CSV table of all heavy atoms in Angstrom, one decimal:
chain,number,residue,atom,x,y,z
A,5,VAL,N,-33.5,-64.9,-29.9
A,5,VAL,CA,-34.2,-64.1,-29.0
A,5,VAL,C,-33.5,-62.8,-28.7
A,5,VAL,O,-32.3,-62.7,-28.4
A,5,VAL,CB,-34.4,-64.9,-27.6
A,5,VAL,CG1,-35.1,-63.9,-26.6
A,5,VAL,CG2,-35.2,-66.1,-27.9
A,88,ARG,N,27.2,22.8,-62.1
A,88,ARG,CA,28.6,22.4,-62.0
A,88,ARG,C,29.6,23.5,-61.6
A,88,ARG,O,30.5,23.3,-60.8
A,88,ARG,CB,29.1,21.8,-63.4
A,88,ARG,CG,30.5,21.3,-63.4
A,88,ARG,CD,30.9,20.9,-64.8
A,88,ARG,NE,30.2,19.7,-65.3
A,88,ARG,CZ,29.3,19.7,-66.2
A,88,ARG,NH1,28.9,20.9,-66.8
A,88,ARG,NH2,28.8,18.6,-66.6
A,141,VAL,N,8.9,27.7,-98.8
A,141,VAL,CA,7.9,26.9,-99.6
A,141,VAL,C,7.6,27.6,-100.9
A,141,VAL,O,7.5,26.9,-102.0
A,141,VAL,CB,6.6,26.8,-98.7
A,141,VAL,CG1,5.5,26.3,-99.5
A,141,VAL,CG2,6.9,26.0,-97.5
A,163,SER,N,1.0,18.3,-119.5
A,163,SER,CA,0.8,17.8,-118.1
A,163,SER,C,2.0,17.6,-117.4
A,163,SER,O,2.1,17.5,-116.1
A,163,SER,CB,0.1,16.4,-118.3
A,163,SER,OG,0.9,15.5,-119.0
A,209,ARG,N,28.6,2.4,-64.1
A,209,ARG,CA,29.1,3.2,-63.0
A,209,ARG,C,29.0,2.4,-61.7
A,209,ARG,O,29.4,2.9,-60.6
A,209,ARG,CB,28.3,4.5,-62.9
A,209,ARG,CG,28.5,5.4,-64.0
A,209,ARG,CD,29.9,6.0,-64.1
A,209,ARG,NE,30.1,6.8,-62.9
A,209,ARG,CZ,29.8,8.1,-62.8
A,209,ARG,NH1,29.3,8.7,-63.8
A,209,ARG,NH2,30.1,8.7,-61.6
A,259,ALA,N,34.9,17.0,-51.3
A,259,ALA,CA,36.2,17.1,-51.8
A,259,ALA,C,37.1,18.1,-51.0
A,259,ALA,O,38.3,18.0,-50.9
A,259,ALA,CB,36.2,17.5,-53.3
A,264,PRO,N,46.1,17.1,-50.5
A,264,PRO,CA,46.6,16.4,-51.7
A,264,PRO,C,46.9,14.9,-51.3
A,264,PRO,O,47.4,14.6,-50.2
A,264,PRO,CB,47.9,17.2,-52.0
A,264,PRO,CG,47.8,18.5,-51.3
A,264,PRO,CD,46.9,18.2,-50.1
A,265,ILE,N,46.7,14.0,-52.2
A,265,ILE,CA,47.0,12.6,-52.1
A,265,ILE,C,48.5,12.5,-52.5
A,265,ILE,O,48.8,12.6,-53.7
A,265,ILE,CB,46.1,11.7,-52.8
A,265,ILE,CG1,44.7,11.9,-52.3
A,265,ILE,CG2,46.5,10.2,-52.8
A,265,ILE,CD1,43.6,11.0,-53.0
A,277,THR,N,40.6,16.8,-43.2
A,277,THR,CA,40.1,17.8,-42.2
A,277,THR,C,38.6,17.5,-42.0
A,277,THR,O,37.7,17.6,-42.8
A,277,THR,CB,40.2,19.2,-42.7
A,277,THR,OG1,41.6,19.5,-43.0
A,277,THR,CG2,39.7,20.2,-41.7
A,310,PRO,N,47.9,14.4,-37.1
A,310,PRO,CA,49.0,15.4,-37.4
A,310,PRO,C,48.8,16.6,-36.5
A,310,PRO,O,47.9,16.7,-35.6
A,310,PRO,CB,48.8,15.7,-38.9
A,310,PRO,CG,47.3,15.5,-39.1
A,310,PRO,CD,46.9,14.4,-38.2
A,324,GLY,N,48.8,-5.6,-50.6
A,324,GLY,CA,49.8,-6.6,-50.5
A,324,GLY,C,51.3,-6.1,-50.3
A,324,GLY,O,52.2,-7.0,-50.1
A,325,ALA,N,51.5,-4.8,-50.3
A,325,ALA,CA,52.9,-4.3,-50.2
A,325,ALA,C,53.5,-4.6,-48.9
A,325,ALA,O,54.7,-4.8,-48.8
A,325,ALA,CB,52.9,-2.8,-50.5
A,402,ALA,N,72.8,-9.5,-19.9
A,402,ALA,CA,72.2,-10.6,-19.3
A,402,ALA,C,71.0,-11.1,-20.2
A,402,ALA,O,70.0,-10.4,-20.3
A,402,ALA,CB,71.6,-10.3,-17.9
A,413,PHE,N,78.2,-12.0,-28.6
A,413,PHE,CA,78.8,-10.9,-27.9
A,413,PHE,C,79.9,-11.4,-26.9
A,413,PHE,O,80.4,-10.5,-26.2
A,413,PHE,CB,77.7,-10.1,-27.1
A,413,PHE,CG,77.0,-9.1,-28.0
A,413,PHE,CD1,76.0,-9.5,-28.8
A,413,PHE,CD2,77.4,-7.8,-27.9
A,413,PHE,CE1,75.4,-8.6,-29.6
A,413,PHE,CE2,76.8,-6.8,-28.7
A,413,PHE,CZ,75.7,-7.2,-29.6
A,414,ASP,N,80.2,-12.6,-26.9
A,414,ASP,CA,81.3,-13.1,-26.2
A,414,ASP,C,82.6,-12.6,-26.8
A,414,ASP,O,82.9,-12.9,-28.0
A,414,ASP,CB,81.3,-14.7,-26.2
A,414,ASP,CG,82.3,-15.3,-25.2
A,414,ASP,OD1,83.1,-14.5,-24.6
A,414,ASP,OD2,82.4,-16.5,-25.1
A,421,ILE,N,75.8,-13.0,-19.3
A,421,ILE,CA,75.1,-14.0,-18.5
A,421,ILE,C,74.0,-14.6,-19.3
A,421,ILE,O,73.2,-13.9,-19.9
A,421,ILE,CB,74.5,-13.4,-17.2
A,421,ILE,CG1,75.6,-12.8,-16.3
A,421,ILE,CG2,73.7,-14.4,-16.4
A,421,ILE,CD1,75.2,-11.9,-15.2
A,454,LYS,N,85.1,12.9,-18.6
A,454,LYS,CA,84.5,12.2,-19.6
A,454,LYS,C,84.6,10.7,-19.3
A,454,LYS,O,85.7,10.2,-19.0
A,454,LYS,CB,85.1,12.6,-21.0
A,454,LYS,CG,85.0,14.0,-21.3
A,454,LYS,CD,83.5,14.5,-21.5
A,454,LYS,CE,83.4,15.9,-21.9
A,454,LYS,NZ,82.0,16.4,-22.1
A,474,VAL,N,65.1,-14.9,-2.7
A,474,VAL,CA,65.3,-13.9,-1.6
A,474,VAL,C,66.8,-14.1,-1.2
A,474,VAL,O,67.2,-15.2,-0.9
A,474,VAL,CB,64.4,-14.1,-0.5
A,474,VAL,CG1,64.6,-13.1,0.6
A,474,VAL,CG2,62.9,-14.0,-0.9
A,531,ARG,N,60.8,4.0,-26.3
A,531,ARG,CA,59.8,2.9,-26.0
A,531,ARG,C,59.4,2.3,-27.3
A,531,ARG,O,58.9,3.0,-28.2
A,531,ARG,CB,58.7,3.5,-25.2
A,531,ARG,CG,59.1,4.1,-23.9
A,531,ARG,CD,58.0,4.8,-23.1
A,531,ARG,NE,57.1,3.8,-22.5
A,531,ARG,CZ,56.1,4.2,-21.6
A,531,ARG,NH1,56.0,5.4,-21.3
A,531,ARG,NH2,55.3,3.3,-21.2
A,532,ILE,N,59.6,1.0,-27.4
A,532,ILE,CA,59.3,0.3,-28.7
A,532,ILE,C,58.4,-0.9,-28.4
A,532,ILE,O,58.5,-1.6,-27.4
A,532,ILE,CB,60.7,-0.3,-29.2
A,532,ILE,CG1,61.7,0.9,-29.4
A,532,ILE,CG2,60.5,-0.9,-30.6
A,532,ILE,CD1,63.1,0.4,-29.6
A,537,GLY,N,48.6,-7.8,-27.5
A,537,GLY,CA,47.2,-8.3,-27.5
A,537,GLY,C,46.1,-7.3,-27.3
A,537,GLY,O,45.1,-7.5,-27.9
A,566,LYS,N,56.1,-9.8,-38.1
A,566,LYS,CA,57.3,-10.0,-37.3
A,566,LYS,C,58.3,-8.9,-37.6
A,566,LYS,O,58.5,-8.6,-38.8
A,566,LYS,CB,57.9,-11.4,-37.6
A,566,LYS,CG,57.2,-12.5,-36.9
A,566,LYS,CD,58.0,-13.8,-37.1
A,566,LYS,CE,57.4,-15.0,-36.3
A,566,LYS,NZ,58.1,-16.2,-36.4
A,568,THR,N,58.0,-5.8,-37.2
A,568,THR,CA,57.4,-4.5,-37.3
A,568,THR,C,57.2,-3.9,-35.9
A,568,THR,O,56.5,-4.5,-35.1
A,568,THR,CB,56.1,-4.6,-38.1
A,568,THR,OG1,56.3,-5.1,-39.4
A,568,THR,CG2,55.4,-3.2,-38.2
A,569,VAL,N,57.7,-2.7,-35.7
A,569,VAL,CA,57.6,-2.1,-34.4
A,569,VAL,C,57.0,-0.7,-34.5
A,569,VAL,O,57.0,-0.1,-35.5
A,569,VAL,CB,59.0,-2.0,-33.7
A,569,VAL,CG1,59.6,-3.3,-33.5
A,569,VAL,CG2,59.9,-1.1,-34.6
A,576,ILE,N,64.3,9.2,-33.1
A,576,ILE,CA,64.0,8.8,-34.5
A,576,ILE,C,63.2,9.9,-35.1
A,576,ILE,O,62.4,10.6,-34.4
A,576,ILE,CB,63.3,7.4,-34.5
A,576,ILE,CG1,63.2,6.9,-36.0
A,576,ILE,CG2,61.9,7.5,-33.9
A,576,ILE,CD1,62.8,5.4,-36.0
A,639,VAL,N,97.0,-3.3,-20.5
A,639,VAL,CA,95.7,-2.6,-20.3
A,639,VAL,C,95.9,-1.5,-19.3
A,639,VAL,O,96.6,-1.7,-18.3
A,639,VAL,CB,94.6,-3.6,-19.8
A,639,VAL,CG1,93.3,-2.9,-19.5
A,639,VAL,CG2,94.5,-4.8,-20.8
A,678,SER,N,103.4,3.4,-20.0
A,678,SER,CA,103.5,3.2,-21.5
A,678,SER,C,102.8,4.4,-22.1
A,678,SER,O,101.6,4.6,-21.9
A,678,SER,CB,102.8,1.9,-21.9
A,678,SER,OG,102.8,1.8,-23.3
Side-chain angles (χ1 to χ4, degrees):
V5 175
R88 178 186 294 109
V141 171
S163 59
R209 294 293 297 271
I265 296 180
T277 302
F413 278 81
D414 189 355
I421 299 168
K454 300 295 183 181
V474 178
R531 301 172 71 171
I532 306 165
K566 283 187 175 182
T568 299
V569 298
I576 192 170
V639 179
S678 175

